[in-house]
């Protein structure tokens, strides 16, 4: 039950006025005011320059004293007294502690204060008193104070309103990310890790070049924290979480190695320790654990660190001790492995905010943009003010006799000034515009006569400036100022130019102060992916008829002219030939579909690499494929971890007897070593082809007799992996069968349908020439089959920007541009693509992105016959004429000049 305040006795007029307030509300208001004062004014850094008020005031105080890097050192007590008396009345201890920290190379990733004297050490020894030490600014800190005098930042009154101090420093360096910060406020805290300057600058430039860059992409530039004491960052998962959310954890291990002494005993030498870990404290901790028998196997431990050789803690082991076991125990029980919580809280626009990596970079770049604009406006104003005075000088020099006469006749300077102004306006004094290179009204507008500022400057002009040579100097200076004014106005009018300037200044900072990483990065076994160690590149994967597979660099296949002889593609066993050939990235996953309807998975980088002529390795040795089964279709499904891609795509399966089936790609996104069932195959049938679609395509199927059908993908509803499927095309002849299936987009006019016969004939035809029908029909003619062409062996969707790779059963391959293949009607015979020997036939066709390569032809060697003729006589069939539907040009059947 709340107590009601007692009524106070009636007040007299002489008493002070008393106001009744609720004590709870008063305490709440007072505490909130106090907490916000601590949060904003003491404990948390500003996201723009990365400083707390005490750091900013120390640097500003040194700047005001002229305590620069090219000047002599000043006593630390002098700096502390200056800062405490003018800007930071919180005691000399806090100011000196701040000054000391900014001078310690093992505390700051990049020092801001150049020190002289005892400033402590990494063993934990304290610094000398401020009266004994001396300091001055580092060049690194001067880059944060640069342009301060150019009105680039706002100023505020100090604690007693007698002086002004900057609210933020116009830093050119992303200080908050580079040196980090830590502090405890009221109800919140911050703990930000230091990072490598070169990496942070690269991240800032990446954002400047692409404002839509994501936080995940920025991690490729800013890889991890980088501590001044080095060490090894152990595990990256929590670090990435901190980059993405602003909160996380980083585990740091000391760096050590094992040496063997002349006596044969081993010793562990620790050369780097985690951030903020004292060397003496670590040595004492190890000794304590040995005395308490927590760690066995250590005979002696000693801190042998010195300034010449650096950090060195030597742990001597007993004769029967295992060094790696002792190292793991040191990681577990001592600070040789330390964990640091990351909590990126900073003041953004006056409020505390938890910020991820992108937020911190955006805040800095936006601040730099504001600084650049304010600096340009200041410089423009100063340039125009100086140009205004020079204009007055030139007007006076053009009317020199009149000016001297007016001054001599005036009794006082004020009278002379007034007379000059009146006379110049009366006689319309202007400078001769033809005397200047780029003087225009748009750039710089003259005023009639002299202004008060110009008249005052003329009266203060020294007589030596009246000489002819001095006049030329004034003209040159005026012209230079006009160029500066033009450049500054252009800068203020263009955001792109301002971004380019920020980028240039960042690169200058990187060149001047950037260095290599000190902290190594070590991934945990659970975080390591083989893809991280494999170069991502396109490779050609080939699979032979008997099931031998290999990958080859795509550039090994040289482009040749259509109708050429081809080159030997693979050495195969007798009766074997290359049956599948395709291009994929080494980081992608391949799905292998067998003729019995099973699906297996294999990473492209897991496929053994071989030369173009090598046989490869049996698929049964890479996947658990039964001996009586055989791979019939391969799909590059990209990265299965991309859930958005997997959920929006389907697998279309087709059998030789014309069955078609559609299944979600997600059903194939969980690889199993022994494979999964992709489709139920009827007796006497087998799987022929598999394609991946986005659900909005049209399906085309072709049979050996030369017919093809086209129907919408929507006609096939998705079913599970164990389903049989539905009819796609009618196959009524026991000798006929489906030879291929493609998925096409009718709206893409750049793609055509390519069909190839077993005797080397082929053609490109527009998709629209095949009318849309219902699935399950007979289809329409796709190529005119004759004894010369042979049966249809393949169908493919292609564009003119791709190359065609033809593989014969003999092992010969040919690569030719698809643009060289004539586009013709649906029922025509086509043109000759490759010369096929009488006993040979085409086994497989594939396509590859066209590359800039010399057009050449390589004659086969070895057991293959060599044809010495460079031209081929047209066959009698071509000279006598064909059926009216045949479209073959005689010239297309001759081999082109090599």
């Amino acid at each position: 039950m709340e107590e009601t305040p007692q009524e106070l006795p009636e007040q007299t007029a002489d008493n002070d006025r008393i106001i009744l307030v609720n004590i709870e509300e008063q305490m709440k208001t007072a505490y909130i005011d106090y907490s916000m004062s601590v949060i904003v004014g003491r404990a948390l850094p500003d996201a723009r320059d990365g400083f707390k008020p005490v750091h900013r005031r120390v640097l500003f105080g040194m700047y005001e004293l002229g305590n620069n890097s090219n000047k002599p050192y000043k006593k630390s007590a002098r700096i502390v007294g200056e800062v405490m008396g003018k800007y930071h009345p919180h005691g000399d201890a806090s100011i000196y502690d701040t000054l000391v920290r900014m001078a310690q190379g093992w505390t700051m990733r990049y020092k801001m204060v150049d020190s002289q004297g005892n400033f402590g050490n990494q063993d934990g020894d304290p610094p000398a008193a401020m009266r004994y030490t001396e300091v001055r600014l580092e060049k690194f800190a001067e880059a944060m104070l640069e342009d301060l005098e150019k009105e680039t930042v706002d100023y505020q009154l100090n604690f007693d309103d007698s002086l002004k101090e900057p609210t933020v420093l116009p830093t050119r360096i992303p200080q908050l990310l580079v040196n980090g910060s830590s502090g405890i406020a009221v109800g919140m805290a911050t703990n930000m890790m230091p990072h490598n300057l070169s990496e942070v600058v690269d991240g800032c430039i990446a954002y400047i070049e692409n404002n839509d860059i994501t936080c995940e992409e920025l991690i490729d530039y800013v890889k991890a924290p980088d501590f001044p004491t080095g060490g090894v960052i152990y595990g990256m998962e929590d670090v990435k979480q901190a980059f993405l959310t602003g909160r996380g954890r980083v585990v740091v291990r000391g760096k050590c190695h094992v040496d063997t002494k002349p006596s044969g005993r081993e010793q562990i030498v620790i050369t780097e320790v985690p951030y903020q870990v004292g060397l003496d404290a670590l040595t004492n901790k190890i000794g304590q654990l040995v005395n308490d028998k927590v760690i066995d196997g250590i005979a002696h431990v000693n801190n042998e660190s010195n300034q010449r050789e650096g950090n060195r803690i030597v742990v001597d082991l007993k004769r029967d001790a295992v060094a790696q076991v002792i190292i793991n125990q040191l990681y577990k029980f001592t600070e040789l492995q330390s964990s640091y919580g990351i909590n990126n809280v900073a003041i953004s626009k006056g409020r505390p905010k938890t910020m991820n990596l992108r937020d911190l970079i955006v805040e800095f770049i936006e601040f730099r943009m504001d600084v650049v604009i304010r600096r340009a406006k200041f410089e423009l104003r100063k340039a125009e003010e100086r140009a205004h005075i020079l204009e007055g000088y030139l007007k006076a020099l053009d009317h020199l006799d009149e000016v001297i006469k007016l001054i001599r006749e005036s009794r006082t300077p004020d009278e002379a000034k007034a007379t000059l102004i009146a006379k110049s306006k009366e006689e319309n004094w202007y400078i001769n515009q033809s005397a200047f290179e780029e003087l225009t009204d748009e750039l710089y507008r003259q005023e009639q006569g002299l202004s008060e500022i110009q008249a005052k400057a003329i009266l203060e002009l020294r007589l030596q400036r009246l000489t002819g040579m001095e006049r030329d100097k004034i003209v040159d200076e005026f012209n230079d100022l006009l160029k500066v004014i033009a450049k500054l106005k252009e800068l203020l009018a263009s955001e792109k130019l301002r971004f380019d300037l920020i980028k240039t200044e960042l690169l200058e900072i990187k060149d001047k102060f950037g260095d290599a990483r000190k902290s190594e990065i070590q991934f945990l076994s659970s975080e390591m992916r083989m893809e991280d160690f494999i170069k991502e590149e396109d490779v050609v994967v080939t699979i032979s008829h008997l099931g031998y597979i290999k990958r080859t660099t795509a550039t090994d296949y040289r482009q040749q002219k259509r109708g050429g002889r081809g080159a030997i593609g693979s050495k195969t066993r007798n009766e074997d030939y290359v049956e599948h050939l395709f291009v994929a990235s080494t980081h992608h996953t391949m799905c292998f579909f067998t003729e019995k309807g099973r699906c297996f998975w294999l990473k492209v980088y897991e496929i053994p690499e071989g030369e173009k002529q090598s046989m490869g390795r049996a698929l049964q040795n890479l996947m658990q494929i039964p001996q009586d089964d055989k791979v019939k279709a391969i799909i590059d499904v990209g990265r299965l971890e991309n859930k958005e891609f997997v959920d929006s795509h389907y697998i279309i399966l087709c059998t030789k007897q014309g069955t078609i089936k559609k299944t979600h790609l997600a059903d194939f996104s969980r690889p199993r070593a022994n494979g999964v069932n992709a489709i139920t195959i009827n007796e006497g049938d087998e799987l022929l082809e598999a394609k991946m679609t986005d659900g909005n395509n049209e399906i085309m199927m072709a049979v050996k007799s030369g017919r093809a059908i086209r129907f919408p993908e929507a006609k096939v509803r998705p079913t599970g992996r164990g389903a049989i499927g539905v009819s796609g095309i009618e196959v009524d002849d026991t000798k006929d069968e489906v030879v291929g299936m493609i998925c096409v987009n009718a709206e893409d006019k750049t793609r055509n349908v390519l069909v190839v016969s077993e005797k080397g004939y082929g053609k490109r035809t527009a998709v629209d020439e095949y009318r849309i029908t219902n699935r399950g029909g007979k289809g329409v003619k796709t190529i005119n089959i004759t004894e010369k062409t042979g049966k249809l062996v393949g169908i493919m969707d292609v564009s003119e920007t791709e190359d065609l790779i033809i593989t014969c059963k003999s092992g010969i391959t040919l690569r030719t541009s698809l643009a060289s293949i004539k586009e013709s009607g649906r029922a025509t015979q086509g043109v000759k693509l490759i010369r096929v020997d009488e006993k040979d036939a085409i086994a497989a066709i594939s396509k590859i992105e066209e590359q800039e390569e010399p057009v050449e032809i390589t004659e086969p060697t070895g057991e293959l016959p060599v044809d010495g003729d460079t031209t081929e006589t047209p066959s009698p069939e071509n000279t006598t004429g064909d059926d009216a539907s045949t479209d073959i040009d005689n010239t297309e059947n001759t081999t082109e000049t090599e």
Side-chain angles (χ1 to χ4, degrees), residues 88-218:
H88 197 76
H90 296 286
D92 58 349
S94 64
I95 299 172
Y96 187 52
D97 287 346
T98 300
L99 191 64
V100 166
R101 279 181 55 83
M102 290 195 292
Q104 291 177 336
W106 60 92
T107 300
M108 306 297 290
R109 180 60 180 84
Y110 298 91
K111 291 197 307 177
M112 288 178 279
V113 172
D114 182 13
S115 60
Q116 189 167 266
N118 176 15
F119 275 77
N121 55 37
Q122 201 173 343
D123 291 333
D125 296 333
M130 68 180 79
R131 61 183 177 273
Y132 299 120
T133 60
E134 296 178 335
V135 293
R136 64 182 178 187
L137 288 171
E138 284 274 9
K139 291 184 182 297
F140 188 82
E142 289 176 351
M144 302 181 191
L145 294 156
E146 199 168 343
D147 302 323
L148 189 59
E149 74 284 355
K150 294 183 179 180
E151 300 178 2
T152 50
V153 295
D154 294 329
Y155 278 71
Q156 64 186 8
L157 293 171
N158 68 339
F159 61 91
D160 63 357
D161 294 350
S162 61
L163 297 168
K164 287 192 173 183
E165 60 175 323
T167 58
V168 65
L169 297 183
T171 175
R172 293 189 177 195
I173 298 169
Q175 145 70 19
L176 188 55
L177 269 169
V178 166
N179 271 326
S181 182
S182 64
I184 301 173
V186 178
M188 62 183 65
T190 184
N191 196 34
M192 306 181 71
M193 298 295 109
H195 295 80
N196 183 269
L197 175 63
S198 298
E199 292 181 1
V200 173
V201 169
D202 289 342
C204 292
I205 291 174
Y207 169 74
I208 290 172
E209 293 175 347
N210 176 19
N211 291 163
D212 296 325
I213 192 170
T214 63
C215 202
E216 291 86 347
E217 292 170 326
L218 284 171

Side-chain angles (χ1 to χ4, degrees), residues 794-815:
I795 182 172
M796 184 184 299
D797 67 305
V798 297
S799 74
E800 291 186 356
T801 62
E802 296 170 329
D803 287 351
L804 174 67
I805 297 181
I806 301 173
T807 307
C808 297
K809 293 183 180 180
S810 61
I812 290 178
T813 63
L814 177 137
R815 173 173 171 172

Side-chain angles (χ1 to χ4, degrees), residues 623-767:
M623 297 180 292
Q624 299 179 16
I625 300 177
Q627 291 291 332
D628 60 344
D629 207 352
K630 178 184 175 184
V631 172
K632 296 294 291 185
I634 307 101
I635 295 179
D636 177 5
V637 294
R639 301 175 188 267
L640 290 177
E641 60 270 20
N642 186 345
K643 190 174 186 302
E644 183 180 351
F645 178 85
V646 169
D647 291 343
S648 61
H649 283 75
Y650 302 88
I651 297 293
I652 304 290
L653 302 171
C654 156
T655 71
K656 280 191 174 181
Q657 295 302 315
T659 299
I660 192 106
K661 181 191 169 190
K662 180 179 177 181
T663 306
H664 289 282
L665 177 59
D667 290 352
F668 300 96
S669 62
R670 291 174 292 277
R672 297 180 191 172
N674 57 352
V676 296
N677 192 40
I679 183 174
T680 300
I681 300 292
N682 293 323
E683 186 177 354
D685 198 2
E686 63 183 53
L687 183 68
L688 173 70
E689 189 62 89
K691 298 289 183 183
M692 184 170 63
T693 74
D694 59 4
N696 301 313
N697 292 338
E698 295 171 348
I699 298 172
M700 291 187 66
M701 302 170 68
V703 293
K704 191 183 282 188
S705 59
R707 291 183 289 110
I709 191 171
R710 173 188 171 199
F711 56 88
E713 181 184 340
K715 295 286 186 181
V716 185
R717 65 180 181 85
T719 55
R721 284 191 288 104
I724 297 176
V726 294
S727 176
I729 188 172
E730 183 178 329
V731 182
D732 50 6
D733 190 346
T734 55
K735 295 183 180 179
D736 203 4
E737 62 185 28
V738 177
V739 295
M741 172 196 69
I742 60 174
C743 298
V744 297
N745 184 350
E747 296 180 0
D748 187 357
K749 302 301 181 183
T750 64
R751 305 197 72 79
N752 305 125
V753 177
L754 173 76
V755 289
V756 179
S757 69
E758 61 184 354
K759 293 297 184 182
Y761 285 82
K763 61 173 181 175
R764 291 188 297 118
T765 307
V767 176

Side-chain angles (χ1 to χ4, degrees), residues 419-463:
T419 307
L420 272 175
I421 295 172
K423 185 70 174 177
S424 63
K425 292 185 181 297
E426 180 183 340
E427 297 184 0
N428 294 332
W429 287 5
Y430 284 100
I431 55 176
N432 184 8
Q433 188 164 329
S434 62
F436 307 103
E437 296 174 1
E438 300 175 8
L439 179 58
T440 63
D441 287 341
E442 292 77 16
L443 178 63
Y444 181 83
R445 191 179 300 277
Q446 285 194 63
E447 294 181 4
Q448 176 186 348
L450 297 173
S451 67
E452 186 173 347
I453 295 173
Q454 290 171 332
K456 183 179 179 182
I458 291 169
L459 290 173
E460 295 172 353
L461 191 66
R462 297 175 64 184
L463 290 175

Side-chain angles (χ1 to χ4, degrees), residues 447-509:
E447 294 181 4
Q448 176 186 348
L450 297 173
S451 67
E452 186 173 347
I453 295 173
Q454 290 171 332
K456 183 179 179 182
I458 291 169
L459 290 173
E460 295 172 353
L461 191 66
R462 297 175 64 184
L463 290 175
Q464 72 176 35
R465 302 299 300 271
L466 303 180
T467 63
M469 187 176 294
E470 289 294 321
R471 188 185 191 281
D472 292 340
K473 288 183 179 178
I474 293 173
V475 172
D476 291 341
E477 184 183 355
F478 192 77
N479 277 320
D480 291 341
L481 278 174
L482 291 179
K483 293 175 182 176
V484 170
I485 290 169
K487 187 175 180 181
L488 290 171
K489 287 187 174 180
E490 186 181 5
L491 179 68
L492 288 169
S494 171
E495 184 180 61
K496 182 181 182 304
L497 288 178
R498 296 196 295 273
F499 272 127
D500 289 343
L501 179 59
I502 294 171
K503 179 179 174 181
T504 301
E505 291 177 348
L506 282 170
L507 289 173
E508 290 174 357
I509 291 295

